[in-house]
Amino acid sequence: MRYALIFQKEEEFIFKNVPERPVPSLLRGYSAPIRLDSDLTESDLYFLLANDSDEFNRWEAGQILARKLMFSLVADFQQQKTLALNTKFVDGLRAILQSTSLDKEFIAKAITLPGQGEIMDMMSIADPDAVHAVRTFIKKELAFQLKDDLLAAVTSNRSSEAYAFDHDSVARRALKNTCLAYLASLNEPDVTELALNEYKSATNMTEQFAALAALSQNPGQVREDALLDFYNKWQQDYLVVSKWFALQATSDIPGNVVNVQKLLAHPAFDMRNPNKVYSLIGGFCGSPVSFHAKDGSGYKFLGEVVLQLDKINPQVASRMVSAFSRWRRYDETRQALAKAQLEMIISANGLSENVYEIALKSLAA
């Protein structure tokens, strides 16, 4: 490794006795929040992903590659082409997973894909269906190709010791839980059994909730039983129940709007409690798949809830209606459906000024 310090706007560096073309690892150890454009090639980024000793730069290389990969696959999906995962990307993540020198918390972050919202924010016309399909494909394909490494990480990071809040313990849990989530996406019997075992044997709420989240990815009786069991165990803890609502609200399982509608009648939910509303209704609005469902069911659900909520707490209702504020970023079909709900809200009798103002601004945005 050679270091080069840059003091001028433009500088030239000549490396002697270097057998291969050097790959720059830029701004090593630099902590200021900046946005950097560079001419690093994909080959350079794959090299950094697999080898960079600066953990942030290694993570950044992976995120850039993941975003490029996702955009490329989104285009393929939209053109109905067969999706395929670049083997170099898989190999880069495998190298990170197999490392014995890297911090476990870093490994957990490095193998985590960019979120659906992040990718949609970078699109000229957001396509929730394509982004969701692509991210799901990548996650499952990584889980399939890295299954042995992921299983090894889960096994080696189990602990029967008492809960401890220190870096090593937090890092261990983060890595185990991230790997378990990947594996559960395969929805295979052996992996489901593994996740159930992790759920039942967890010695603390953090790991039990992570196992529940892993199981909740796939619809079915196992999911329903685990959710009910978790609620029965933690129903006296207000904050945990809020997390329980949010987990179900943000789910990407098909037709989740129906599940969220049912949860409105759950005895632990109270429309008069802002935090419960933020967990359930706000969580649902944060789901790119369910809220932006092509049939408009997510928009219709929110429109109806906003009118109910406005009679109870106009301030919270106005915050919920702001989920419509970016409706023009989507395709024409979704725009028409979202616009119809905003117009319905504005025309409602007895509407509060809070909600009217936000809805009107959203409509005109």
Side-chain angles (χ1 to χ4, degrees):
M1 181 185 296
R2 308 286 178 85
Y3 287 92
L5 300 179
I6 301 174
F7 297 98
Q8 306 298 327
K9 184 176 181 180
E10 292 185 10
E11 293 196 43
E12 180 179 290
F13 298 91
I14 299 175
F15 296 91
K16 297 180 178 181
N17 301 320
V18 177
E20 298 180 13
R21 171 183 167 274
V23 177
S25 174
L26 304 170
L27 304 180
R28 295 175 64 82
Y30 194 70
S31 60
I34 66 169
R35 189 178 296 276
L36 178 69
D37 292 322
S38 73
D39 59 357
L40 290 172
T41 65
E42 282 200 7
S43 294
D44 293 336
L45 291 168
Y46 279 121
F47 179 82
L48 294 174
L49 174 62
N51 300 284
D52 202 328
S53 59
D54 184 289
E55 291 186 350
F56 176 82
N57 283 0
R58 195 169 187 174
W59 172 83
E60 179 72 0
Q63 292 296 296
I64 293 172
L65 287 167
R67 288 193 292 268
K68 287 185 175 183
L69 176 63
M70 292 177 76
F71 279 122
S72 175
L73 290 177
V74 163
D76 289 344
F77 179 86
Q78 292 171 331
Q79 296 170 33
Q80 299 183 336
K81 294 181 179 179
T82 302
L83 303 184
L85 196 56
N86 191 316
T87 56
K88 290 183 178 180
F89 185 72
V90 180
D91 291 340
L93 295 192
R94 180 182 285 111
I96 291 174
L97 261 175
Q98 293 179 346
S99 173
T100 56
S101 60
L102 291 171
D103 180 82
K104 291 182 178 181
E105 188 172 18
F106 165 76
I107 295 175
K109 293 183 183 299
I111 65 174
T112 299
L113 297 170
Q116 296 177 72
E118 178 182 349
I119 300 302
M120 289 197 301
D121 282 346
M122 300 172 72
M123 301 174 73
S124 55
I125 299 178
D127 188 339
D129 297 330
V131 173
H132 173 64
V134 163
R135 194 177 189 276
T136 300
F137 165 77
I138 296 175
K139 186 175 182 180
K140 287 186 176 181
E141 192 64 22
L142 286 172
F144 175 74
Q145 296 193 39
L146 300 175
K147 185 175 181 179
D148 289 343
D149 296 303
L150 293 167
L151 284 170
V154 171
T155 302
S156 63
N157 286 286
R158 286 195 185 106
S159 175
S160 58
E161 297 179 4
Y163 178 85
F165 187 70
D166 54 61
H167 176 74
D168 288 345
S169 298
V170 169
R172 176 190 60 77
R173 288 192 291 267
L175 179 55
K176 191 196 83 166
N177 295 339
T178 301
C179 292
L180 186 63
Y182 265 107
L183 289 166
S185 69
L186 294 172
N187 198 18
E188 296 175 347
D190 62 325
V191 173
T192 300
E193 187 63 32
L194 171 68
L196 268 173
N197 180 65
E198 293 300 321
Y199 173 81
K200 293 175 180 177
S201 63
T203 59
N204 57 81
M205 189 275 292
T206 301
E207 291 186 283
Q208 188 170 65
F209 188 81
L212 177 66
L215 290 167
S216 297
Q217 295 180 67
N218 306 303
Q221 196 59 48
V222 172
R223 177 183 190 272
E224 299 307 314
D225 290 346
L227 285 168
L228 179 59
D229 180 79
F230 186 88
Y231 174 75
N232 288 336
K233 182 174 183 178
W234 296 96
Q235 60 182 300
Q236 301 304 322
D237 191 311
Y238 173 87
L239 293 178
V240 176
V241 171
S242 291
K243 285 171 64 70
W244 181 78
F245 276 125
L247 176 64
Q248 296 173 82
T250 57
S251 174
D252 291 333
I253 63 172
N256 194 45
V257 64
V258 175
N259 297 326
V260 176
Q261 286 173 324
K262 291 179 180 178
L263 286 171
L264 291 177
H266 193 280
F269 181 76
D270 186 351
M271 191 75 84
R272 297 167 298 179
N273 187 308
N275 288 333
K276 292 288 177 64
V277 172
Y278 297 147
S279 294
L280 185 59
I281 311 304
F284 175 78
C285 294
S287 169
V289 177
S290 300
F291 179 56
H292 297 292
K294 196 80 172 182
D295 62 0
S297 57
Y299 299 153
K300 185 175 185 293
F301 169 70
L302 179 61
E304 293 171 350
V305 167
V306 164
L307 294 182
Q308 295 176 38
L309 189 57
D310 188 44
K311 301 181 185 305
I312 302 170
N313 192 326
Q315 288 77 25
V316 175
S318 65
R319 184 169 174 179
M320 292 299 100
V321 81
S322 65
F324 284 120
S325 64
R326 306 180 72 190
W327 62 279
R328 292 186 186 274
R329 295 206 64 256
Y330 298 87
D331 58 84
E332 292 183 358
T333 299
R334 287 184 170 89
Q335 285 188 34
L337 293 167
K339 182 181 180 182
Q341 290 303 311
L342 285 169
E343 291 174 338
M344 182 273 293
I345 291 171
I346 288 176
S347 63
N349 292 326
L351 192 68
S352 69
E353 293 183 5
N354 305 72
V355 171
Y356 180 81
E357 180 182 359
I358 299 299
L360 188 64
K361 286 183 177 179
S362 297
L363 197 57

